Amino acid sequence: MPASVLPQPLSNWRLPALGLAIVLIVVTPFLVLRKAAVDTDAAWAMVVHTHETEATVHALAGDMRNMESGALSLAAGVDNALLRARVGESRARIPATLQKLQRLTRDNPDQQLRIGALQTNILLRKANADRIIDAEAADVTAADIDAMVARYPIHELIEEIVAEEQRLLSDRQARAERVEQRARLATWAAMAGQLLLLGGVLAYSTRQIAHRLRAETDAQRASARASVVLDTVREPIVAIDAAQRVVMHNVAFAELYGVDGDARGQPLTALGDGAWGDERTLRRLADVLSRGRELWDHEQVQRTADGVERTMVLNARRMPLPDRDDAVVLVTVSDISVQKASDRQIRELNRQLEGKIEQVSDVNRELEAFSYSVSHDLRAPLRHIAGFGDKLGRHLGDGIDDKSQHYLEVMVSSAKRMSALIDDLLVYSRLGRSALRLQTVDMQSLVAETRAMLDANNAAEAPDHRIEWRIAPLPVVVGDENMLRQVWLNLLGNAVKYSRGSEPARIEIGYGRDGDDAHHFQVRDNGAGFDMQYAGKLFGVFQRLHAASEFPGTGIGLASVRRVLTRHGGRAWAESEPGNGATFHFTLPAAGDQPASNESKS
């Protein structure tokens, strides 16, 4: 039986999407914040760089002042070790400071030009200062001092360099603040993005969990419905694994094999007190799983837990289960013991029926012999009686008296009536014994032929009697044409015969369809009619409701009608009132409901 399979919420594109979301949540904010931090650090590094450049310029200016003031002090006659140490330190730092300043301003060509000019003047001033420092105080002239102090100006260049660095500092501080502001915005944006992504992932996870819970609930309900359906089925069902242990079974299986509780995990052979011990059956069940074969209508006699020996039919096929990696064998068991008993009874009845058929065949052969005897042995004496009666009448001629004439007429008419009875009996017998030769029959043509014959007979026997025919459109049916011709001949002949006292005689032939789609024909006349309390006698052999002197006939015609219609699967009945005519009905089944014929259709 099919089981619900839980959907896989993270399958296909969902798992990559979830991974991408996690990457966006973790990596993207990190990259954004890292970029913002780098930009901020770079911006503030430039601010620090500007401060460092400015501080280096000031340090250079300070060293120049120290050196020059020391040189002036030495020229004025002030000479001590501390002064010379401070002057020596300043003199030693000036070249390194100039190199550092050049390195710090490599990214600024304008500053490089200014620093180049400053370096030239500083070196020239330093050279003058070195001469003053290294010379004796008495040797220093005012010109030397003027050359050191005024000839190579550096203060304006230092002010220009400092002013440029101040301008750069202002720009770089503004840029650093903007970058820091963007970094803060990026931080908040990253946090908001993380929250949004986390919210989306949480919503998606919640929806997936709800979907999975619904799917599990639906699966549980489907499993419960399947279990209820399985237990409702009255045919025993069991599923077994490769080791032929029970995986599942229904209530009908438990009831049949006397299983108490749940038999899952138990060997199949342990159930039913040995009902499943047949090695051949177990081998075939193993083949179903190992070779993928199907077991159909395998009969096995089992003695079940109630001690009754039953004939069972087993059907098995391989079936995968959604909660197992391996397949199982689904086995259905049908108890056909009653069917087997019925088959045996049917065979016995068929044997008895064959005996009855043989008896009927013997009777039919006797009837055929009797018919042959009637047709040949009885007709000859009757022909003799009628023939010699006629000869006797001609022999006596006019000398015969009225009584003798009456005796001769009664004798001859009785012989002829007896001959007519024999002919009708033979026809009746043939209608019951001859095989149906089914073919398409045009009822309109049969009625027209019968009407033409009856009109000719009426013109010969009663030329003054008038017959009015009303014939509805009639269909084409499937049947034996000769037998159906006999039906119309008897019914229409009766209608003409029993309406001789009505002038004019009106005979109506109608047609319709019954509820079961059968053909329904009616023959209605305005003749003598009959009492409905005797309607049951109408279709019997030799049954007549009128005296032979009033209406001639043998009483076999309607019996022949019933026999023909019965063999065609139809029926006949009549409705009438004395003096108000009669209506005869008969039906024929639709073409698909016709009885089978043992002879070929012609």
Side-chain angles (χ1 to χ4, degrees):
M1 71 184 200
S4 298
V5 178
L6 289 175
Q8 303 299 323
L10 299 181
S11 61
N12 299 334
W13 59 270
R14 293 185 177 89
L15 185 59
L18 182 60
L20 180 61
I22 294 173
V23 170
L24 291 175
I25 291 173
V26 176
V27 177
T28 303
F30 169 76
L31 295 177
V32 171
L33 294 178
R34 185 172 180 276
K35 177 66 167 56
V38 170
D39 291 344
T40 302
D41 291 342
W44 285 113
M46 293 303 297
V47 172
V48 171
H49 176 79
T50 303
H51 282 294
E52 186 179 3
T53 303
E54 186 177 357
T56 302
V57 170
H58 286 298
L60 180 63
D63 286 338
M64 289 296 295
R65 282 194 299 271
N66 286 336
M67 185 186 68
E68 291 176 350
S69 63
L72 291 175
S73 296
L74 290 173
V78 179
D79 188 2
N80 55 58
L82 180 62
L83 177 63
R84 285 191 175 275
R86 190 177 70 178
V87 169
E89 291 175 356
S90 297
R91 290 172 67 188
R93 284 198 299 267
I94 287 173
T97 304
L98 284 172
Q99 291 179 358
K100 181 179 179 182
L101 189 60
Q102 286 180 340
R103 186 176 67 253
L104 290 174
T105 58
R106 280 181 305 185
D107 59 338
N108 193 330
D110 294 337
Q111 289 288 71
Q112 285 278 297
L113 292 175
R114 293 186 186 96
I115 289 172
L118 177 65
Q119 183 179 9
T120 301
N121 289 343
I122 286 176
L123 292 176
L124 292 173
R125 288 178 70 131
K126 180 176 177 298
N128 290 326
D130 288 342
R131 281 195 301 273
I132 294 173
I133 292 170
D134 294 336
E136 295 294 334
D139 296 333
V140 177
T141 64
D144 293 332
I145 295 173
D146 180 66
M148 181 187 69
V149 174
R151 185 175 297 177
Y152 304 107
I154 62 172
H155 296 291
E156 291 181 357
L157 290 174
I158 290 175
E159 289 177 356
E160 289 179 3
I161 292 172
V162 171
E164 178 64 17
E165 291 298 325
Q166 289 291 332
R167 186 185 65 77
L168 290 175
L169 177 63
S170 177
D171 293 342
R172 288 171 178 174
Q173 281 183 332
R175 182 176 180 277
E177 289 175 357
R178 289 196 301 272
V179 170
E180 188 175 13
Q181 180 68 22
R182 286 199 298 270
R184 285 195 295 270
L185 291 176
T187 301
W188 286 106
M191 183 181 297
Q194 282 182 315
L195 291 176
L196 288 175
L197 287 173
L198 285 173
V201 171
L202 180 62
Y204 176 77
S205 301
T206 303
R207 186 168 64 88
Q208 290 300 317
I209 291 171
H211 179 72
R212 188 174 186 85
L213 290 176
R214 284 197 303 271
E216 290 177 352
T217 302
D218 292 342
Q220 291 173 356
R221 289 177 179 173
S223 178
R225 285 195 297 269
S227 298
V228 170
V229 171
L230 186 66
D231 289 337
T232 304
V233 175
R234 296 312 303 160
E235 187 176 58
I237 299 175
V238 63
I240 58 176
D241 58 15
Q244 296 190 342
R245 293 182 177 274
V246 175
V247 176
M248 57 184 290
H249 63 82
N250 66 348
V251 174
F253 182 86
E255 291 175 353
L256 180 63
Y257 295 102
V259 176
D260 294 329
D262 194 350
R264 285 182 291 186
Q266 298 184 27
L268 184 63
T269 54
L271 306 178
D273 293 336
W276 295 94
D278 183 65
E279 291 295 333
R280 179 168 169 266
T281 300
L282 295 176
R283 258 194 329 272
R284 299 194 68 174
L285 290 177
D287 288 343
V288 172
L289 193 58
S290 62
R291 301 185 182 181
R293 296 178 178 176
E294 293 187 1
L295 183 65
W296 293 107
D297 298 335
H298 174 67
E299 289 191 15
Q300 180 188 1
V301 177
Q302 295 180 339
R303 185 176 293 277
T304 52
D306 55 4
V308 177
E309 194 172 80
R310 306 171 186 268
T311 302
M312 316 299 288
V313 169
L314 308 181
N315 291 286
R317 64 178 301 174
R318 183 173 179 173
M319 182 181 73
L321 291 180
D323 57 344
R324 294 174 62 98
D325 294 332
D326 57 335
V328 300
V329 178
L330 183 68
V331 184
T332 59
V333 185
S334 301
D335 185 357
I336 62 169
S337 302
V338 175
Q339 180 181 342
K340 283 290 186 181
S342 299
D343 289 343
R344 287 193 295 270
Q345 188 175 9
I346 289 172
R347 285 195 296 270
E348 177 61 25
L349 291 174
N350 285 336
R351 187 185 63 78
Q352 296 177 7
L353 182 60
E354 289 174 358
K356 297 293 184 182
I357 291 174
E358 185 63 29
Q359 294 178 8
V360 172
S361 298
D362 293 340
V363 171
N364 283 335
R365 284 191 291 270
E366 292 175 359
L367 285 175
E368 289 178 2
F370 174 73
S371 298
Y372 181 83
S373 176
V374 168
S375 177
H376 294 79
D377 298 341
L378 294 183
R379 279 186 172 180
L382 288 175
R383 285 196 300 270
H384 293 163
I385 293 172
F388 281 102
D390 289 337
K391 287 183 179 181
L392 182 59
R394 289 194 299 272
H395 177 71
L396 294 175
D398 296 336
I400 188 173
D401 55 14
D402 293 338
K403 183 176 288 188
S404 298
Q405 181 68 33
H406 174 67
Y407 291 158
L408 286 174
E409 290 176 355
V410 170
M411 180 180 66
V412 172
S413 64
S414 296
K416 291 181 179 179
R417 176 173 172 75
M418 185 64 181
S419 179
L421 283 172
I422 291 173
D423 290 339
D424 289 346
L425 278 173
L426 290 174
V427 171
Y428 183 76
S429 176
R430 284 196 298 272
L431 290 175
R433 288 185 291 107
S434 60
L436 287 175
R437 299 179 62 85
L438 297 180
Q439 61 186 42
T440 55
V441 180
D442 187 353
M443 299 297 262
Q444 197 85 43
S445 298
L446 283 187
V447 170
E449 293 174 7
T450 306
R451 173 189 171 182
M453 183 182 66
L454 293 175
D455 283 341
N457 292 341
N458 180 71
E461 297 173 2
D464 297 331
H465 180 61
R466 187 162 58 92
I467 302 175
E468 294 181 356
W469 297 87
R470 296 179 184 174
I471 303 174
L474 302 178
V476 175
V477 301
V478 176
D480 188 301
E481 183 174 6
N482 291 328
M483 291 187 181
L484 293 178
R485 182 180 284 107
Q486 192 69 32
V487 169
W488 286 114
L489 185 60
N490 286 324
L491 290 179
L492 297 183
N494 281 352
V496 171
K497 177 171 63 177
Y498 287 102
S499 59
R500 285 279 174 85
S502 301
E503 193 62 42
R506 285 189 296 274
I507 301 174
E508 299 179 8
I509 301 170
Y511 169 75
R513 288 276 194 170
D514 281 350
D516 56 356
D517 207 33
H519 302 287
H520 183 183
F521 300 91
Q522 308 99 32
V523 177
R524 185 179 296 108
D525 64 65
N526 61 342
F530 59 87
D531 193 338
M532 284 297 292
Q533 65 176 328
Y534 304 113
K537 297 182 178 182
L538 276 177
F539 296 94
V541 181
F542 301 133
Q543 297 294 328
R544 292 176 53 81
L545 303 184
H546 300 87
S549 58
E550 185 179 2
F551 296 102
T554 60
I556 296 179
L558 292 181
S560 299
V561 169
R562 170 165 286 184
R563 171 163 285 191
V564 170
L565 295 175
T566 300
R567 295 196 63 189
H568 279 76
R571 63 191 185 96
W573 70 97
E575 300 170 350
S576 179
E577 290 182 8
N580 290 327
T583 302
F584 283 83
H585 302 263
F586 71 93
T587 63
L588 289 172
D593 301 328
Q594 289 291 337
S597 173
N598 293 329
E599 298 184 29
S600 62
K601 298 178 183 179
S602 58

